[in-house]
Amino acid sequence: MKQHFREWSVAGALGAMLVALAIFAPRFYEAQPLLSRLTDDAPTLIIACGMASIIICRQIDISVGSMFAVCGVCSALLLEHHWPIAAVIPISIALGAVLGAFNGWLVAGLGLPSIVVTLATMVTWKEALRWMRQGVLVNVGSAQWFGLSQIHGQLTIIATSLVILVISALAMRHLAMGRFVYAVGADAEAARLAGLRPRLVTFLMFVRLGALTGLAAILNAVQAATLQPNPDSGLELKVIAAVVVGGVAISGGRGNLWGVFCGLLLLACITPALVYLGIPPYWGKAIQGAIILLAVVADGVRNRKTRT
Amino acid sequence: MKRSLSLLLALGLAFGACSKSDNNAPASSSAGAAPAAGKKITIAMLPKSKGNAYFISCSDGAKKAADELGVDLLFDGPTQTDPGMQNQIVEGWIAKGVDAIAVAAENKDALSTALRKAQAQGIKVISYDADVLPDARTFFVNQATPEGIANALTDEAAKLMNNEGEFAIITASLTAANQNEWIKYIKQRLAKYPNLKLVADPLPSNDKQDEAQQQATTIMSAHPDLKLIMAICTPGVPGAAEAVKQAGKVGKVHVIGLGLPNENKDYVHQGVTDAVILWDTGKLGYLTIEAADALVKGTLKPGDKEFKVGDTVYKIDGDNILLGEPTVFDKSNIDKYNF
Amino acid sequence: MAASNSKSTGWKAVLRSHEFILFAVLVAEWVLFYALGTHRNARGMTVGFGSLDAQYNILRHSVEIGLLALVMTPVILTGGIDLSVGSVLGFSAIVFGKLWQDAHWPIAAAALAALVTGAAAGGLNAFLITWLRLPPLIVTLGTYSLFRGFAEALTRGADIFTGFPASFTFIGQERILGVPAQLPIFALVAVAVWLLVHRTTFGRSFRAIGFAPEGTRYAGIPVERRVALAYILSGLVSALAGLIYTARLNQATADAGTGYELAAITAVVLGGTSIFGGIGTVHGTLLGVAAVAVLSEGLFYADQPRELGGMLTGVLLIVALGASVVPKVLSKWRSSRQTAPSTPQPPAST
């Protein structure tokens, strides 16, 4: 319990929030809107699974929002031209993987700092997409919900995200590659001396994040009849905040996905909670910032105590 | 040597990009060519943001006018709504030496600052869609006053709700100036309908369709008696409509808003969205360029009571050139329009 | 990069330095855009990129981001980062506007309050980063949301503060002795930061801290205090940038400065400062600010689409990063091809 204090405290905060909502705003738990919200958050969870590994191995990727938009628009365009969904999904994943590989090559191959590389790719893809698309909506039409009924589509998307979560969590624990990520994050030089290949591990994590982003993008694109092409500035903040609040240390080497899951839900609850509780929406950003700081301060206080 | 290689690469990229002919700034004077001595008039048009379908449809009409008049049209704007960027673009146009500037203001006061400088340099200034301060421009091409828009929305809402019930507003971002003005006038208009209740603070969608969808879903759930959602930004209308559809509340919760016909045709035909209110954006852009050109040539002057374009005569009310009334697009007429 | 080889002194080193190459790129950009974007109008006056107006515009428009980049440099030199600078700009602009417009404070007092707010915001960052030893990236990510949230809460998102007296907006809009009025302020801050970082032992410790924090601590330098000061300075200057922004636009809104932090970081990194800390110069940052400003405004005068500026900035950033790394990679590749795998190499004597 002590070892996973962070994860338990986030889970606790989430639990407290959910209980408070049950008391003060029980309508929060109305089935259909709740399902809608979970479906909307599912793509973010998928990306967070990838981002957690990136941060654990001491890198960061702030271009996920732009990759998400590019993959989303490309998949939606294919769907608009009546390509079969079975073909579009792997294409979206592959496109994301390629974009991620580009980041990974610059970071792992050339040794460039990930924050700057992904800053550059974020700006480049974002502006390129804007230039290409000029704000015109893409019509997904009959491919909405994969052609299934709404409820089946929503459950499919939520189930997919949970499956990815479970597989990722297990892989990080039990697969050798999963453990390598922790090793590289804790001390890359030691890992190299121990025979691991930190640069390969890092590269693969960027590719994985890109692929997961591509998957998330198509899961998002089918949620409405039309897709807006403007890059979502704010997705990277959402994902990174969820990962960090969930206990993954930015200094690398620790954290797990259960904390990330709780962190994501906690932060995702803020906006609807404000509406249900009748709190004006302009408090949203301040609350989000406060939660991030509290989460990190909790880390710091604990560190100070254990240090002496 | 390797450093110079990368330097050359950077330069080559810059060179290559710049020499590519650009089809997004239509009919602009080609860079580097010796300009004729003041023969072709250059009119610069500023939208609130560049990649915005609403303003792109305005620019289509503007391009048509520019072609007919034989003027150069520069269409440029911030790529995302940015409070300071509009000023920078206007100041750049002053330094470029354009003949006229037409703006849709994101921030009225801020932009007026730059426009006054343009006027001081002899550049003609008009505003369209979203006005600036009156002393910063000669005319405002007015598709509808903010009060008129707010009234149209509120009246339509009241009609659909039978003059009583709860409704909610979905806005763009909390800081969007146009929307905030409309909200102000909507609240004023509500005095006329004492049984109509605005059930929460306007919910921000940050101009994102899926955020609008989420907000709509949540507000319907938090207020089960909600009868109508009013989306006052273009991405908000399809977003709210999708939310109503997914909640299975078509017919129980009405959706109206300000939106482009093309983006809403399907929802209107499915009966999800009752009506979208807008105006002919192409005509707005067309009239704007015509007025700017006439100002430069001197055929349009302050104090004129009307402005003739081809066969149409537009009334001028004070310093507002009136486009006409906002149009309500619903099942009966939405298919006639393509923008 | 700069100081590692024996040729670290003399004019050859200057020519090979990142800053000089960036300077050359800047000059090349300038010449290119001058050629592409300058014309004569009907009255025979120079218009476009080459006109004095345009050049002044480039300077005026980059002052706010320039200030943020200047003060971001010492922060990054210590191995940290400050993502909250844009939000502090907005927050202090709102405090300024609200005190002047709603509480009717005199302009000078309101401006002072804004500066204090900025310093206090920096102080919060400093406290969390140096006292609680929290990672700067996450702390400033949190304060990025928090301060923007304060600005939105104070204005309920919607309030606009405007109508400032001409004596104030003068700073942002008019010229003083022929140059735009905010330039002397910017120049003053630039010189002050340069002197601080490059000529005082205080400032030189920033690079030491970024390079080897533990070593610096053992050398007796009060690391925490120095780093704290860097963040407080960052907040203070961000507030100053907020005042200039408000003067330039004659308006303060809650979204002022959105996205400026990334532009500042771009300029700093472009200028040769390593994001890991320990390496970098203030003049490099200034060149970085200039390079990006000339690029985006130059494209405007050359009638190129706005989005191209963003894309090229991203490319430029990668090229700038890559330029310093490519030589290393190539030499490593070359040496690995030359070494026969079976011949043991004697250890390099130190």
Side-chain angles (χ1 to χ4, degrees):
Chain A
M1 169 96 166
K2 268 238 175 98
Q3 192 196 8
H4 293 291
F5 170 74
R6 251 327 231 98
E7 286 76 11
W8 282 111
S9 56
V10 183
L14 177 65
M17 154 98 84
L18 292 176
V19 165
L21 283 169
I23 300 175
F24 296 108
R27 298 211 61 87
F28 183 85
Y29 293 99
E30 191 185 348
Q32 183 274 330
L34 186 62
L35 195 62
S36 251
R37 280 199 299 277
L38 290 174
T39 313
D40 192 56
D41 292 328
T44 315
L45 177 61
I46 294 178
I47 302 179
C49 290
M51 183 70 81
S53 300
I54 285 280
I55 294 188
I56 289 176
C57 66
R58 267 215 184 169
Q59 306 292 343
I60 196 164
D61 189 337
I62 59 176
S63 68
V64 281
S66 305
M67 290 199 287
F68 182 77
V70 169
C71 293
V73 171
C74 290
S75 339
L77 282 173
L78 291 176
L79 291 175
E80 192 179 46
H81 288 95
H82 305 296
W83 282 47
I85 192 88
V88 176
I89 295 181
I91 291 179
S92 186
I93 297 178
L95 178 59
V98 166
L99 293 173
F102 184 66
N103 283 337
W105 170 63
L106 290 172
V107 174
L110 294 185
L112 303 178
S114 57
I115 188 167
V116 185
V117 164
T118 55
L119 171 61
T121 52
M122 170 184 86
V123 172
T124 309
W125 305 145
K126 180 164 71 165
E127 295 296 321
L129 184 62
R130 274 192 223 273
W131 191 11
M132 232 187 60
R133 217 41 218 166
Q134 293 294 318
V136 180
L137 292 185
V138 188
N139 203 325
V140 167
S142 58
Q144 191 181 0
W145 302 123
F146 306 112
L148 304 170
S149 72
Q150 175 183 318
I151 192 98
H152 286 149
Q154 289 180 323
L155 290 175
T156 308
I157 292 177
I158 295 179
T160 310
S161 68
L162 290 176
V163 164
I164 301 266
L165 173 69
V166 169
I167 294 183
S168 301
L170 291 176
M172 281 165 68
R173 218 22 169 27
H174 299 290
L175 271 192
M177 179 60 80
R179 300 262 258 280
F180 291 169
V181 172
Y182 283 99
V184 167
D187 191 331
E189 190 55 21
R192 192 184 65 84
L193 290 172
L196 303 182
R197 298 168 68 181
R199 298 192 337 176
L200 181 62
V201 172
T202 306
F203 176 76
L204 289 176
M205 288 304 107
F206 274 101
V207 172
R208 174 169 171 261
L209 177 59
L212 288 174
T213 305
L215 176 62
I218 179 129
L219 291 183
N220 181 61
V222 299
Q223 289 188 27
T226 53
L227 179 71
Q228 199 188 13
N230 291 331
D232 182 344
S233 55
L235 182 64
E236 38 279 316
L237 172 66
K238 253 196 246 174
V239 173
I240 294 176
V243 168
V244 164
V245 167
V248 174
I250 204 77
S251 49
R254 79 167 301 282
N256 67 44
L257 285 182
W258 307 115
V260 171
F261 181 62
C262 295
L264 186 87
L265 288 180
L266 184 64
L267 289 173
C269 278
I270 299 178
T271 312
L274 291 181
V275 179
Y276 282 106
L277 293 171
I279 300 175
Y282 47 77
W283 287 106
K285 282 216 182 102
I287 295 178
Q288 178 187 52
I291 292 183
I292 296 176
L293 288 178
L294 280 174
V296 185
V297 165
D299 271 343
V301 168
R302 203 164 62 95
N303 283 346
R304 255 193 115 77
K305 278 200 196 139
T306 58
R307 210 203 325 275
T308 43
Chain B
M1 205 214 57
K2 288 119 199 167
R3 285 195 174 130
S4 0
L5 261 180
S6 32
L7 169 58
L8 275 172
L9 180 65
L11 273 180
L13 272 170
F15 228 118
C18 291
S19 50
K20 190 176 13 164
S21 82
D22 152 53
N23 50 16
N24 275 327
S28 58
S29 43
S30 61
K39 231 177 289 168
K40 235 186 179 189
I41 295 178
T42 307
I43 302 180
M45 190 177 192
L46 181 73
K48 278 198 207 165
S49 67
K50 215 179 152 192
N52 183 323
Y54 171 83
F55 284 104
I56 291 177
S57 58
C58 286
S59 76
D60 288 337
K63 273 184 231 174
K64 197 165 132 225
D67 288 338
E68 286 174 11
L69 291 166
V71 303
D72 277 339
L73 177 67
L74 296 177
F75 181 75
D76 194 9
T79 53
Q80 36 198 45
T81 48
D82 175 333
M85 190 51 97
Q86 281 195 323
N87 278 51
Q88 288 177 214
I89 296 177
V90 168
E91 286 170 353
W93 280 332
I94 298 174
K96 246 189 186 171
V98 300
D99 298 294
I101 297 180
V103 301
E106 174 67 27
N107 289 75
K108 175 190 270 204
D109 307 278
L111 194 53
S112 305
T113 309
L115 291 174
R116 280 187 210 108
K117 284 208 209 119
Q119 287 184 315
Q121 301 256 19
I123 299 175
K124 301 286 180 229
V125 176
I126 61 174
S127 53
Y128 71 101
D129 180 72
D131 201 3
V132 290
L133 295 174
D135 67 333
R137 48 76 176 149
T138 319
F139 284 104
F140 171 39
V141 181
N142 192 351
Q143 72 280 8
T145 56
E147 201 172 346
I149 295 172
N151 290 353
L153 281 167
T154 319
D155 293 344
E156 183 73 19
K159 191 177 88 183
L160 288 168
M161 289 161 63
N162 281 329
N163 290 346
E164 60 100 28
E166 298 181 341
F167 76 105
I169 297 179
I170 295 188
T171 180
S173 69
L174 291 175
T175 48
N178 243 17
Q179 275 75 8
N180 285 333
E181 238 194 307
W182 295 330
I183 291 171
K184 185 177 88 186
Y185 285 117
I186 290 175
K187 288 186 179 165
Q188 275 182 21
R189 186 69 163 179
L190 283 178
K192 197 172 159 208
Y193 304 101
N195 289 324
L196 227 55
K197 186 161 166 275
L198 178 59
V199 94
D201 277 88
L203 301 166
S205 69
N206 296 312
D207 271 315
K208 289 192 213 140
Q209 189 178 313
D210 52 2
E211 239 177 275
Q213 186 175 330
Q214 276 313 297
Q215 295 282 36
T217 307
T218 310
I219 196 77
M220 280 192 288
S221 168
H223 296 271
D225 295 324
L226 198 75
K227 281 168 100 177
L228 179 135
I229 298 180
M230 187 191 286
I232 58 179
C233 59
T234 37
V237 197
E242 188 68 36
V244 168
K245 201 169 140 204
Q246 290 187 16
K249 291 203 172 167
V250 179
K252 287 196 221 120
V253 178
H254 301 274
V255 176
I256 65 169
L258 297 170
L260 294 164
N262 280 359
E263 289 182 3
N264 293 287
K265 271 185 190 151
D266 286 337
Y267 291 116
V268 167
H269 284 305
Q270 288 167 18
V272 185
T273 304
D274 292 87
V276 279
I277 298 176
L278 208 67
W279 39 86
D280 191 333
T281 49
K283 228 197 267 177
L284 177 65
Y286 186 88
L287 180 58
T288 303
I289 299 305
E290 288 279 346
D293 177 73
L295 256 183
V296 172
K297 290 190 176 132
T299 50
L300 175 65
K301 293 178 297 293
D304 284 357
K305 289 293 177 222
E306 52 182 41
F307 179 50
K308 192 155 185 280
V309 178
D311 295 326
T312 328
V313 177
Y314 294 96
K315 270 185 62 194
I316 301 185
D317 178 19
D319 53 11
N320 279 203
I321 304 176
L322 302 176
L323 182 69
E325 292 296 312
T327 313
V328 177
F329 299 105
D330 58 20
K331 260 195 197 142
S332 63
N333 60 358
I334 198 167
D335 284 328
K336 294 199 207 124
Y337 299 90
N338 186 15
F339 64 93
Chain C
M1 218 179 5
S4 55
N5 53 26
S6 57
K7 302 197 189 81
S8 56
T9 51
W11 63 273
K12 269 213 181 125
V14 174
L15 283 185
R16 286 170 135 218
S17 70
H18 185 109
E19 289 79 10
F20 186 78
I21 305 250
L22 186 59
F23 179 68
V25 170
L26 176 63
V27 169
E29 266 186 339
W30 200 94
V31 169
L32 179 70
F33 289 123
Y34 187 92
L36 288 178
T38 313
H39 317 283
R40 290 196 171 275
N41 70 0
R43 287 164 274 177
M45 285 167 40
T46 312
V47 290
F49 186 83
S51 67
L52 192 62
D53 256 356
Q55 292 302 306
Y56 277 159
N57 277 343
I58 294 177
L59 290 172
R60 289 176 58 238
H61 296 159
S62 19
V63 162
E64 291 116 38
I65 292 185
L67 285 173
L68 298 182
L70 272 177
V71 88
M72 178 85 78
T73 312
V75 169
I76 294 186
L77 281 177
T78 63
I81 197 166
D82 189 350
L83 295 176
S84 66
V85 287
S87 306
V88 174
L89 189 159
F91 180 41
S92 34
I94 290 299
V95 166
F96 172 68
K98 201 163 174 72
L99 286 175
W100 181 78
Q101 186 169 290
D102 292 346
H104 305 292
W105 282 29
I107 270 274
L112 196 62
L115 292 175
V116 168
T117 306
L124 177 63
N125 281 333
F127 170 71
L128 294 171
I129 292 172
T130 59
W131 183 253
L132 290 182
R133 309 281 179 95
L134 301 177
L137 184 68
I138 303 307
V139 166
T140 56
L141 190 67
T143 50
Y144 160 85
S145 288
L146 188 73
F147 295 144
R148 185 67 67 190
F150 286 161
E152 286 191 358
L154 273 180
T155 57
R156 290 161 310 174
D159 294 345
I160 299 176
F161 303 115
T162 183
F164 297 100
S167 55
F168 173 71
T169 59
F170 176 87
I171 300 175
Q173 298 171 28
E174 306 304 331
R175 298 201 186 160
I176 196 169
L177 299 175
V179 290
Q182 61 262 67
L183 279 191
I185 303 179
F186 179 71
L188 209 68
V189 175
V191 167
V193 173
W194 191 90
L195 287 175
L196 175 71
V197 171
H198 292 285
R199 286 289 178 264
T200 61
T201 39
F202 190 103
R204 274 193 274 217
S205 68
F206 288 145
R207 262 177 288 186
I209 295 170
F211 204 73
E214 285 313 310
T216 322
R217 195 171 287 127
Y218 290 140
I221 293 182
V223 170
E224 277 72 34
R225 254 188 286 161
R226 304 264 163 111
V227 172
L229 212 91
Y231 285 98
I232 295 177
L233 187 66
S234 173
L236 179 68
V237 173
S238 302
L240 177 64
L243 290 175
I244 294 183
Y245 176 96
T246 307
R248 179 166 68 89
L249 297 181
N250 193 7
Q251 179 174 287
T253 49
D255 56 359
T258 309
Y260 281 19
E261 58 283 324
L262 292 182
I265 294 175
T266 303
V268 172
V269 172
L270 204 56
T273 303
S274 164
I275 201 80
F276 300 122
I279 297 177
T281 61
V282 173
H283 42 277
T285 299
L286 287 173
L287 288 172
V289 173
V292 176
V294 168
L295 179 64
S296 58
E297 301 237 5
L299 287 174
F300 169 83
Y301 289 107
D303 293 327
Q304 295 300 313
R306 182 154 299 274
E307 293 88 347
L308 191 58
M311 288 164 61
L312 286 179
T313 305
V315 171
L316 193 60
L317 196 53
I318 297 200
V319 168
L321 285 179
S324 51
V325 164
V326 167
K328 270 191 245 154
V329 171
L330 279 181
S331 66
K332 219 189 280 179
W333 180 67
R334 203 175 288 135
S335 65
S336 74
R337 287 185 72 203
Q338 284 169 356
T339 316
S342 54
T343 317
Q345 296 290 328
S349 52
T350 28

